[in-house]
Amino acid sequence: MTLIGLDDSDSRERGMCTTYLAVRIAEAVRAAGGTVERLVLVRLNPAVEHKTRGNAALCVHTDLAVDEALSIAREAVDALAAIDDPRTNPGVVVAPGETTSEPVVAFSRRAVREHLALADAETRIDAAGYRHAGWGNARGFIGALAAVGAWQSFDDPTYEHISYREADRRGTPREVDFDSLVAAADWGYPDAWDTVDHGENAMVCVPHAPGPILHGVRGDDPGVVRAVAERIESEPVERAALFVTNQGTDAHLRDGTIEASEDGRSYRLDGRVSGSPETRQGGHVFFELDDEGATMACAAFEPTKRFRDRVRALRVGDELTVCGEVSEGTLKLEKFAVRDLVTTELVIPTCPDCGRSMESAGRGQGYRCRRCGTSAPGKVERPIERDLEGGWYEVPPCARRHIAKPLVRGGFDAPIHPER
């Protein structure tokens, strides 16, 4: 087995997609008489600065010899990658054998959660003796090496079936029938997820950016995601492919504490709401979370839509687990779990005779009703009606990051309240 890892071939302006490059390499491999065992799509750290939206790297698993595989990958990058964009710096790494060394697998796991240096990737490529090729500053070596080790690092693989547009249609509005897409999504749910967003009437699987992708259907069952894609009525499909991925897995999250968290990484953090939710300019909602005196701002930004109502329903004293990326000291919420809800509040007592609120009788002397003469030693508890229950809440599909795990996939440690 030979592994062809590649990354950083796309462009924000030109809209090239590295998944499409991988598919074209796979086709060239087959034309050369080789076979393709699988296509691997790994989503790397979503907080990395130098990335297009999804920060994906790809790997083609084939039986071609290393030299021939490298030659095919070089030709494909030269022909298809956006190498005239100064921010596009492709890298190709070709490794012999389906089983890569433990340092490479560890590098792949780190690339999903950390910021890695190009020099580190180059050192590991040389140490392993892998053939490689780079363009520009070859920053794509980082993702390409991570993609080589990704298959062994996947603890919970998922799938995506991607359909591509005909070349002469790219750059024009995509023609996808909404009703057929909704029907296909409902048919495949929950084995296929994040295909549509019912609350926003949004076609989640259809990208908005320029590029060759027509739609991409994600899920746990490869047969279901393929069948959902085939049920969608749309403009002609040029070609399609199935990828095994780490999408929808929360592989980017690490357990941590507020005090020890760092920018540019994603965490699960426990804490208690210490500042009431506040809606700021632009519709963004912020609140403060405290853990033994260490505090952090948490934010639900406007694109998370109805999720913000869940955040606004929080109260000081609620105990939570929050998940998301930390940036400039603020956690960008992807989901949260309510561990313990405040269900009572202390209020000034009312007079049992006339029903009016009592007044302070003086410092440390409780309360009394000036009309009736009744008294109470202090404030009393009153039940609170809450719009939240215990368990997990998530952003809607239209706002979910590629790597974030939808609640409908299960495996969570509390009741779930999934969004569709």
Side-chain angles (χ1 to χ4, degrees):
M1 187 67 66
T2 297
L3 310 183
I4 308 171
L6 53 144
D7 190 26
D8 204 13
S9 67
D10 48 1
S11 165
R12 291 179 178 88
E13 286 73 29
R14 285 185 51 192
M16 179 56 189
C17 175
T18 306
T19 69
Y20 184 74
L21 178 62
V23 171
R24 294 293 296 271
I25 290 174
E27 291 175 356
V29 165
R30 296 186 184 102
T35 61
V36 175
E37 180 71 20
R38 65 182 66 87
L39 298 175
V40 175
L41 189 168
V42 57
R43 298 290 179 179
L44 306 178
N45 183 356
V48 169
E49 177 185 359
H50 299 290
K51 68 179 180 68
T52 48
R53 180 173 179 267
N55 201 19
L58 279 295
C59 191
V60 180
H61 291 211
T62 177
D63 60 355
L64 282 187
V66 168
D67 288 346
E68 188 172 9
L70 179 60
S71 177
I72 287 174
R74 278 180 178 271
E75 291 178 7
V77 172
D78 284 335
L80 298 170
I83 53 179
D84 56 343
D85 185 331
R87 292 176 294 183
T88 299
N89 299 278
V92 171
V93 175
V94 180
E98 186 171 14
T99 302
T100 54
S101 66
E102 180 54 37
V104 174
V105 176
F107 182 90
S108 182
R109 291 186 186 277
R110 289 174 56 211
V112 176
R113 294 183 172 184
E114 301 176 17
H115 291 248
L116 301 180
L118 175 56
D120 188 10
E122 292 173 327
T123 297
R124 292 184 183 277
I125 291 168
D126 291 340
Y130 294 159
R131 299 293 304 279
H132 55 280
W135 291 256
N137 66 19
R139 187 175 57 236
F141 281 153
I142 300 172
L145 182 61
V148 164
W151 172 245
Q152 292 173 252
S153 72
F154 285 179
D155 300 319
D156 178 26
T158 60
Y159 299 88
E160 181 169 9
H161 185 277
I162 300 180
S163 301
Y164 297 94
R165 313 184 71 189
E166 295 179 331
D168 60 356
R169 291 178 179 268
R170 296 171 196 167
T172 66
R174 292 168 173 84
E175 298 177 13
V176 178
D177 180 73
F178 180 76
D179 291 338
S180 72
L181 176 56
V182 171
D186 289 345
W187 175 85
Y189 188 82
D191 292 320
W193 26 260
D194 286 1
T195 310
V196 299
D197 186 325
H198 286 278
E200 302 298 326
N201 287 324
M203 298 189 292
V204 177
C205 70
V206 179
H208 300 292
I213 294 179
L214 177 60
H215 49 67
V217 180
R218 299 170 183 169
D220 294 294
D221 187 308
V224 171
V225 296
R226 182 183 294 109
V228 169
E230 291 172 349
R231 286 168 176 255
I232 299 171
E233 298 175 11
S234 70
E235 65 186 59
V237 173
E238 178 198 72
R239 49 174 47 88
L242 179 73
F243 299 82
V244 59
T245 86
N246 65 342
Q247 295 173 151
T249 63
D250 278 349
H252 63 313
L253 297 179
R254 63 177 71 199
D255 294 328
T257 64
I258 291 176
E259 184 176 19
S261 62
E262 302 177 53
D263 282 356
R265 291 165 171 77
S266 301
Y267 295 93
R268 296 182 195 88
L269 303 174
D270 294 326
R272 185 187 301 269
V273 177
S274 57
S276 297
E278 173 189 359
T279 302
R280 299 182 184 174
Q281 185 175 2
H284 314 306
V285 182
F286 290 78
F287 68 90
E288 188 173 81
L289 194 71
D290 176 272
D291 178 26
E292 297 183 353
T295 61
M296 174 173 286
C298 299
F301 292 102
E302 189 279 332
T304 63
K305 304 301 180 184
R306 56 194 183 273
F307 176 69
R308 294 171 298 163
D309 292 333
R310 305 297 192 185
V311 176
R312 291 186 182 104
L314 295 170
R315 296 179 67 104
V316 172
D318 290 341
E319 295 181 5
L320 308 178
T321 297
V322 298
C323 299
E325 171 198 334
V326 175
S327 175
E328 297 180 354
T330 297
L331 186 135
K332 303 175 181 179
L333 285 166
E334 296 171 6
K335 60 174 73 75
F336 68 87
V338 175
R339 301 302 188 183
D340 188 41
L341 279 174
V342 173
T343 56
T344 62
E345 61 182 348
L346 290 175
V347 297
I348 295 173
T350 57
C351 175
D353 295 334
C354 69
R356 294 184 178 183
S357 293
M358 294 184 179
E359 299 178 7
S360 174
R363 180 182 293 273
Q365 299 182 53
Y367 296 87
R368 69 168 179 261
C369 177
R370 297 189 182 277
R371 178 178 179 180
C372 303
T374 56
S375 62
K379 291 185 176 181
V380 296
E381 285 191 345
R382 180 176 67 186
I384 305 172
E385 292 292 331
R386 300 298 304 270
D387 292 331
L388 288 175
E389 301 175 2
W392 284 94
Y393 295 88
E394 64 183 349
V395 301
C398 69
R400 192 169 357 263
R401 282 184 149 164
H402 300 293
I403 199 170
K405 185 175 181 178
L407 296 180
V408 72
R409 294 200 64 222
F412 292 88
D413 58 0
I416 61 173
H417 308 279
E419 290 283 354
R420 287 194 63 188

